[in-house]
Amino acid sequence: MLHRLPLSLTLAAALTLGGGLAASGALFLGVSHLEYDNMALSFGQRSDERVAAVRQGIEQAVEVLTVTNQLFARGEPVSREQFRDFTAALLQRHRYIQAFCYHRSVPGELRAAVEAELAQVRPGTVFTELRPNGGGLGVAPERARYHIVDYVEPMAGNERAFGLNITENVQVMSALEVARGEGRAAATDLFQLAQDAQPQPAFELIMPVLDRHGMLAGDTAVVIRGPELVRASLDNAGLLDARDASRDIAVSVYAGEFAERGALLFSTGDTGAAARSWLDSLLAPADSSRSADILRVAGKAWRIEVAGAPRPFLADHMASTSLLIGGILMTLLGTAFVQASGQRARKVQQLVRQRTADLRRTNRRLVEDMAARERAERALQQSEQRFRQLVSMSSDWYWEQDRELRFTMVTGGFTEKAGVSVETVLGKTRWEYVPSLLETEDGRAHIAQVKAHEPFANLEYRTVDEHGDTRWFLVNGQPVFDDRGQLLGYRGTGSDITERKLTEQRVHHVAQHDVLTGLPNRSLLQDRLGQAIAYANRNGRPIWVMLIDLDRFKFVNDSMGHKAGDVLLMTVAARLTSSLRDTDTVARLSGDEFVVILSEDHDEPLTPDIVQRVMDSVAQPVMLGTKEFFVTCSIGVAVYPSEGTPADSLIEHADIAMYSAKKMGRNNFQFYTPAMNEESLERVRIESALRNALERNEFVLHYQPQVDLKTGQIVGMEALIRWKHPELGMVPPNRFIGIAEETGLIVQIGAWVLRTACAQNKAWQDAGLGRLRVAVNLSARQFGAVDLIAGLESVLQDTALDPDCLEIELTESLFMSDVTPAVELLHRMKSLGVNLSIDDFGTGYSSLSYLSRFPIDVLKIDRSFVADITHDANDAAIVTSIIALAHNLKLAVIAEGVETAEQLDYLRSHGCDEMQGYFFSKPLAAEDFETLLRQRRALPAPADSEAEAEALPA
């Protein structure tokens, strides 16, 4: 009798329901996160487009101002008609510009004349000024200096600005001060533009106009309607589509770092925190629909906020929602199926118990059925084992072999995936199909393994397909035995691993080659060097290691940018490779250093001509953008085998030889010698001691007098540094100045020299020893420092020394590499009131046409010309020419290295102004120089006898 079963979930059905719901939820969450990631990526791209468009728009406005500024920066008069014609096209092209202005700096005493000039343009025009507290526009009061709107275009709509004095406008003058300090355009804060029907925020871009003396002559400005600028920038980039602006994404631009209401420049909607549904808040990993970027343009921060509009959840999550609903439905169906199957199984169990008696009567037949079932199960187990073996080995195809290890079956798309037809494989052993297995150690080990009837795994071998392409295969195999343990054959799987092998080869290549030039890197260089040394040891022929360093590479990076530097490095790498043999190794060591390994062949001995050929190939001109550069190199060569050069020190010794070539003036090569190592060790000792010399007060200054040749009186002195080391003694400058330049320590040392010399000069003046001028040399590192002007101002202020009593000595090489910024920097130095002199004049390579552009006060004739002026006509002619040139340019002339009365007489007779040298005095310590001043020692007058001149102590 059947009993009614209660309607309840079975354990299997409950597990199916719980597992299905959990899996559906996990898949929903995973796919949702992927959808959010895609949304965030899309939003980030769209946000970046808008930020880039706004940046381009503001920079374009700055470029318009820069172009306009060039009209006045050239120093030539600009008529109002020229200004109107020039700006008309710009106003037509850039509709967001309210007005172009030129502000002119006018002294108070010229007010009447300038007002008359303005009245000719617009009758009744006088200097006006905005009254405080919103008092409107009125006549400007009397002031010492005005900064008026001299030119304004278009005049229509901007008449009230004509003649406006802006010296009391803090916004504009602050921006002008920033622009003048940074040497580029600066922006004011926002202000409301009253000219439009609907007032809108605006700002002003401003750039100074300097006269030829570096003084402020005025400025050019552009008044810009902020919202129209941003709208035009977005519209030009195709980002102001009506649907995009109103539904998908909102943009807000602020003139400042913070999102303040008063700084809002432009907005297409609310960019605050986007509204999110509770489901978005639960699933989204972060707020991916809002971003804020800060731009730094025109000396001001611009905040750009971009936010996406809220969207319905299903609009972006259709896939995950569909997956969740489908998973729930499938789970319910599966649960219902398992529940029905469980109930059916219970009914079957009841029927089985009821019919057990009937089954006893058929026991004999059941025994026979069981025997047949055992045979079927054995066959099933074998089939299952075969299936499990094949499934456990991930593969592209599987195969079988017979007792003779010959292929009997290859399936699974072997032809498509391996590029080889099945017919070429069937009936062959693997080593007959791939003969190269007989030639490799791994191949022979595999053959021995299968002949021993052992399983094998992960056998990799290479072959060539029917198209001639190299392919890599990976195979696994298991032996198959019968019930008696006799081998029936092999079965296994195979995979095409060509892509993986090619990837491994590419990774190996990247690990051993320089990414930029493709040359071997340091790792592969060591391996090649080891092979070259072993080759040299075997055949008894030498090898050369060349270390190549580019000269002035840092100048290319600093002036043209790192992209130009990369182009130069790739060009040099190609030239080095093409100038050498294929068997030679060219590697990039680091930065702008390359290493070349040359091995000697019996038919081509190694000679210095090879090194010269390499130098010539590098020295060819290189086009970087629109400029042509000539880059030379310095090369050090180490030879192996040679005395004092072990194999593991070849690169180090080549580096030492390269530094020796640098010291000899660059653009040459040197072979390593043991003496160079001593120089290198000496350099290390000097550099180590030099780093602590300032802290230990080991530096002292000596002063060499500078004498007026007309009066014979001391009028100044040159400060010369000396190093008093406790162990090395008095170290001359030529032993440590070059090292200080290379290491950058010269900046700190030079600052100490400048401050100490100024303080000492001020002390002597306070002691009543006369108003003297002290000359201090400026190094290349100091000249290129960003805080040079601030440092000079600080020293003059701290020491209270009159700037006219300080003379800065510069060499021509400091500023001849890039004249334009050097001229500006020299004018800024000159504006401090100090004197400027060119040291060692005549030994440089500059064009004399630049000399008139430099605000120089003094030329110093190098001692190399003075030494032979009495018996060398060429040197005498050079000195005479320098004196004449300087006097024509209203410059003073100082001759260095005067050691004889004859030299002194020659210089006096040709009008030289001052001298310094051992004839009058060698450089003296501060105490001795003070004694010299107190003695009031002087040169004899020109009419004095020669004997009296020779009686002067040296």
Side-chain angles (χ1 to χ4, degrees):
M1 181 176 179
L2 295 176
H3 298 281
R4 186 182 184 91
L5 295 176
L7 185 61
S8 60
L9 286 178
T10 64
L11 178 61
L15 292 175
T16 301
L17 178 61
L21 292 177
S24 299
L27 288 173
F28 171 72
L29 290 175
V31 175
S32 295
H33 280 293
L34 291 176
E35 291 170 336
Y36 278 113
D37 290 343
N38 289 335
M39 292 165 59
L41 178 60
S42 175
F43 176 79
Q45 292 173 343
R46 299 172 68 189
S47 174
D48 291 344
E49 289 175 350
R50 284 151 179 80
V51 172
V54 174
R55 174 189 287 277
Q56 184 177 3
I58 299 176
E59 289 179 346
Q60 188 181 55
V62 172
E63 183 178 353
V64 169
L65 173 60
T66 303
V67 171
T68 306
N69 184 265
Q70 292 301 314
L71 271 178
F72 299 90
R74 293 179 301 181
E76 299 177 358
V78 180
S79 67
R80 299 183 185 275
E81 291 74 14
Q82 289 175 327
F83 186 71
R84 184 183 306 111
D85 294 342
F86 183 83
T87 57
L90 296 176
L91 287 168
Q92 183 68 25
R93 189 179 309 121
H94 306 288
R95 300 287 184 157
Y96 52 80
I97 295 178
Q98 172 67 26
F100 285 92
C101 299
Y102 169 64
H103 299 145
R104 176 179 172 187
S105 181
V106 179
E109 59 271 18
L110 298 181
R111 172 174 178 169
V114 176
E115 284 182 338
E117 179 185 335
L118 298 182
Q120 293 179 0
V121 179
R122 187 168 181 266
T125 300
V126 293
F127 286 6
T128 58
E129 197 172 286
L130 289 174
R131 296 191 180 93
N133 302 322
L137 197 67
V139 178
E142 295 294 329
R143 299 189 183 278
R145 180 168 290 276
Y146 301 89
H147 208 69
I148 64 157
V149 178
D150 191 12
Y151 290 12
V152 59
E153 288 296 336
M155 181 67 77
N158 297 298
E159 295 88 347
R160 287 165 56 84
F162 190 59
L164 178 66
N165 177 37
I166 63 170
T167 54
E168 301 305 308
N169 190 324
V170 178
Q171 261 198 64
V172 176
M173 296 309 290
S174 298
L176 177 58
E177 188 66 25
V178 171
R180 186 179 181 186
E182 296 184 357
R184 58 183 180 182
T188 66
D189 293 335
L190 294 185
F191 54 86
Q192 288 297 321
L193 200 60
Q195 287 93 328
D196 293 340
Q198 294 292 332
Q200 57 179 309
F203 61 92
E204 185 172 309
L205 291 176
I206 190 165
M207 279 189 72
V209 176
L210 305 179
D211 60 19
R212 61 180 180 179
H213 300 293
M215 303 301 293
L216 182 68
D219 65 80
T220 53
V222 179
V223 180
I224 295 176
R225 296 186 289 271
E228 293 187 17
L229 167 64
V230 178
R231 185 176 292 105
S233 302
L234 295 176
D235 191 31
N236 291 339
L239 301 176
L240 272 187
D241 182 80
R243 296 176 303 165
D244 186 55
S246 61
R247 295 194 311 175
D248 290 345
I249 197 163
V251 180
S252 294
V253 181
Y254 297 87
E257 294 190 18
F258 305 103
E260 299 174 347
R261 180 180 298 276
L264 181 62
L265 185 64
F266 175 84
S267 178
T268 61
D270 184 12
T271 56
R276 306 172 71 199
S277 67
W278 65 269
L279 192 55
D280 283 325
S281 302
L282 178 64
L283 298 178
D287 187 357
S288 58
S289 62
R290 185 172 183 270
S291 69
D293 291 90
I294 304 296
L295 304 181
R296 301 282 179 182
V297 183
K300 189 173 185 64
W302 307 84
R303 181 182 181 91
I304 302 176
E305 292 188 352
V306 183
R311 289 170 57 86
F313 181 82
L314 285 178
D316 298 310
H317 300 276
M318 185 60 71
S320 58
T321 304
S322 301
L323 183 63
L324 177 62
I325 295 174
I328 293 174
L329 291 177
M330 293 299 294
T331 299
L332 293 177
L333 290 175
T335 301
F337 176 76
V338 173
Q339 176 72 9
S341 299
Q343 291 179 347
R344 190 180 303 111
R346 291 179 184 178
K347 293 179 181 180
V348 170
Q349 289 176 0
Q350 291 180 356
L351 291 174
V352 168
R353 286 195 296 269
Q354 292 174 2
R355 295 181 181 178
T356 301
D358 297 336
L359 293 177
R360 292 193 184 99
R361 292 192 295 267
T362 60
N363 188 43
R364 185 176 302 170
R365 293 176 58 187
L366 183 59
V367 171
E368 295 175 355
D369 291 341
M370 289 296 293
R373 183 176 180 181
E374 288 178 357
R375 291 192 296 271
E377 285 181 352
R378 189 179 299 112
L380 180 61
Q381 289 175 354
Q382 292 177 351
S383 176
E384 183 179 359
Q385 180 182 8
R386 175 181 175 183
F387 175 77
R388 287 179 178 176
Q389 289 176 346
L390 293 175
V391 171
S392 64
M393 296 180 286
S394 177
S395 61
D396 292 335
W397 62 83
Y398 63 91
W399 50 267
E400 291 185 0
Q401 292 176 331
D402 57 15
R403 289 187 176 88
E404 302 299 326
L405 305 178
R406 299 183 181 278
F407 287 102
T408 58
M409 179 180 65
V410 182
T411 62
F414 177 76
T415 300
E416 293 80 5
K417 296 177 180 178
V420 180
S421 62
V422 174
E423 289 74 14
T424 61
V425 178
L426 295 179
K428 298 180 181 179
T429 63
R430 182 168 281 106
W431 49 90
E432 289 175 344
Y433 159 54
V434 186
S436 61
L437 288 175
L438 297 169
E439 302 171 0
T440 64
E441 183 177 347
D442 291 342
R444 290 190 292 269
H446 164 70
I447 295 172
Q449 195 174 18
V450 296
K451 288 185 176 180
H453 304 165
E454 297 176 355
F456 62 90
N458 299 327
L459 172 66
E460 297 181 1
Y461 62 89
R462 181 175 61 183
T463 184
V464 178
D465 63 15
E466 295 177 347
H467 303 290
D469 298 327
T470 300
R471 308 295 289 268
W472 283 87
F473 299 153
L474 182 144
V475 294
N476 302 283
Q478 291 280 350
V480 181
F481 302 96
D482 60 14
D483 294 339
R484 294 173 296 174
Q486 298 295 320
L487 179 70
L488 295 177
Y490 268 83
R491 67 169 64 103
T493 62
S495 300
D496 182 1
I497 60 171
T498 303
E499 287 298 326
R500 192 190 80 189
K501 281 293 184 180
L502 293 177
T503 300
E504 290 175 355
Q505 292 173 2
R506 286 193 293 269
V507 170
H508 182 71
H509 182 272
V510 170
Q512 292 194 330
H513 289 77
D514 177 56
V515 176
L516 178 64
T517 62
L519 297 177
N521 59 14
R522 188 185 296 269
S523 174
L524 185 55
L525 172 64
Q526 294 295 337
D527 180 68
R528 297 278 182 87
L529 182 58
Q531 295 178 20
I533 292 171
Y535 177 75
N537 291 333
R538 286 196 306 271
N539 63 14
R541 295 184 177 276
I543 64 170
W544 287 6
V545 174
M546 298 194 307
L547 195 143
I548 304 168
D549 184 89
L550 301 183
D551 300 329
R552 298 176 69 242
F553 176 73
K554 183 178 183 299
F555 170 74
V556 175
N557 261 351
D558 293 344
S559 61
M560 297 291 291
H562 289 283
K563 289 186 178 180
D566 291 345
V567 172
L568 177 60
L569 290 176
M570 290 187 290
T571 303
V572 170
R575 290 179 177 178
L576 291 175
T577 303
S578 63
S579 66
L580 297 168
R581 302 167 300 182
D582 293 338
T583 56
D584 298 327
T585 295
V586 180
R588 184 185 178 197
L589 192 61
S590 64
D592 60 338
E593 289 186 336
F594 298 86
V595 174
V596 174
I597 303 175
L598 303 173
S599 298
E600 184 174 270
D601 293 336
H602 65 280
D603 58 345
E604 187 175 354
L606 297 177
T607 66
D609 292 341
I610 299 176
V611 186
Q612 187 61 50
R613 185 173 70 223
V614 171
M615 292 188 64
D616 293 341
S617 68
V618 173
Q620 297 299 315
V622 181
M623 291 299 299
L624 299 179
T626 59
K627 296 184 178 180
E628 187 177 58
F629 279 82
F630 291 86
V631 179
T632 59
C633 65
S634 301
I635 301 179
V637 185
V639 179
Y640 177 84
S642 66
E643 181 181 357
T645 303
D648 57 354
S649 300
L650 281 170
I651 296 179
E652 177 184 352
H653 286 181
D655 187 44
I656 293 173
M658 183 273 294
Y659 271 104
S660 178
K662 289 274 189 185
K663 289 175 61 178
M664 296 183 66
R666 297 184 173 88
N667 193 22
N668 69 88
F669 62 89
Q670 294 292 314
F671 283 81
Y672 171 79
T673 62
M676 291 180 181
N677 199 32
E678 292 299 324
E679 294 179 5
S680 178
L681 294 176
E682 168 72 5
R683 183 185 187 279
V684 171
R685 287 195 296 268
I686 292 294
E687 180 180 342
S688 177
L690 195 59
R691 293 187 180 277
N692 300 317
L694 268 178
E695 299 177 2
R696 298 173 180 174
N697 294 322
E698 296 175 359
F699 290 117
V700 295
L701 287 186
H702 284 192
Y703 300 89
Q704 187 171 35
Q706 294 176 338
V707 183
D708 189 301
L709 290 181
K710 292 181 179 179
T711 65
Q713 299 298 317
I714 298 175
V715 293
M717 60 278 187
E718 181 177 2
L720 301 170
I721 190 170
R722 298 291 186 267
W723 181 12
K724 191 175 182 180
H725 192 273
E727 297 177 0
L728 301 176
M730 190 66 75
V731 183
N734 59 355
R735 287 183 62 187
F736 69 87
I737 291 297
I739 297 175
E741 280 278 3
E742 294 176 14
T743 58
L745 295 173
I746 193 67
V747 177
Q748 302 174 23
I749 296 173
W752 177 86
V753 170
L754 180 65
R755 185 172 293 273
T756 303
C758 290
Q760 181 64 75
N761 190 11
K762 178 61 175 174
W764 283 333
Q765 291 183 19
D766 293 343
L769 298 179
R771 181 182 175 84
L772 302 176
R773 181 186 68 247
V774 62
V776 179
N777 284 281
L778 198 68
S779 70
R781 289 287 186 108
Q782 288 176 280
F783 190 76
V786 295
D787 59 347
L788 172 61
I789 303 300
L792 286 173
E793 290 179 333
S794 175
V795 168
L796 292 172
Q797 182 178 358
D798 294 346
T799 61
L801 181 67
D802 189 339
D804 190 49
C805 294
L806 174 62
E807 181 177 299
I808 302 297
E809 292 191 1
L810 312 113
T811 59
E812 295 172 278
S813 59
L814 290 184
F815 38 75
M816 285 309 162
S817 58
D818 200 351
V819 173
T820 301
V823 170
E824 180 183 354
L825 181 57
L826 290 175
H827 277 287
R828 292 177 63 193
M829 293 172 63
K830 186 62 181 172
S831 67
L832 299 178
V834 301
N835 295 292
L836 301 178
S837 66
I838 296 182
D839 194 15
D840 301 335
F841 184 76
T843 61
Y845 49 86
S846 62
S847 171
L848 293 178
S849 62
Y850 292 134
L851 198 56
S852 61
R853 298 178 58 187
F854 298 149
I856 300 298
D857 302 290
V858 180
L859 294 184
K860 297 190 72 175
I861 304 175
D862 185 64
R863 65 181 65 248
S864 62
F865 298 124
V866 175
D868 296 326
I869 56 175
T870 57
H871 53 269
D872 189 320
N874 291 330
D875 285 352
I878 292 174
V879 170
T880 304
S881 299
I882 293 175
I883 294 173
L885 172 66
H887 288 169
N888 287 333
L889 294 176
K890 309 302 181 185
L891 306 179
V893 184
I894 300 178
E896 296 181 300
V898 179
E899 299 181 356
T900 67
E902 291 80 4
Q903 295 170 350
L904 179 66
D905 292 339
Y906 184 89
L907 293 169
R908 269 179 168 167
S909 64
H910 286 83
C912 183
D913 299 298
E914 298 175 18
M915 62 79 71
Q916 68 182 78
Y918 275 49
F919 179 75
F920 183 79
S921 173
K922 66 180 181 181
L924 301 172
E927 298 81 3
D928 297 334
F929 190 84
E930 182 173 340
T931 301
L932 187 72
L933 293 176
R934 292 188 183 278
Q935 293 174 353
R936 300 191 180 279
R937 185 182 304 176
L939 277 175
D944 291 351
S945 65
E946 182 177 348
E948 290 176 345
E950 293 179 352
L952 281 171

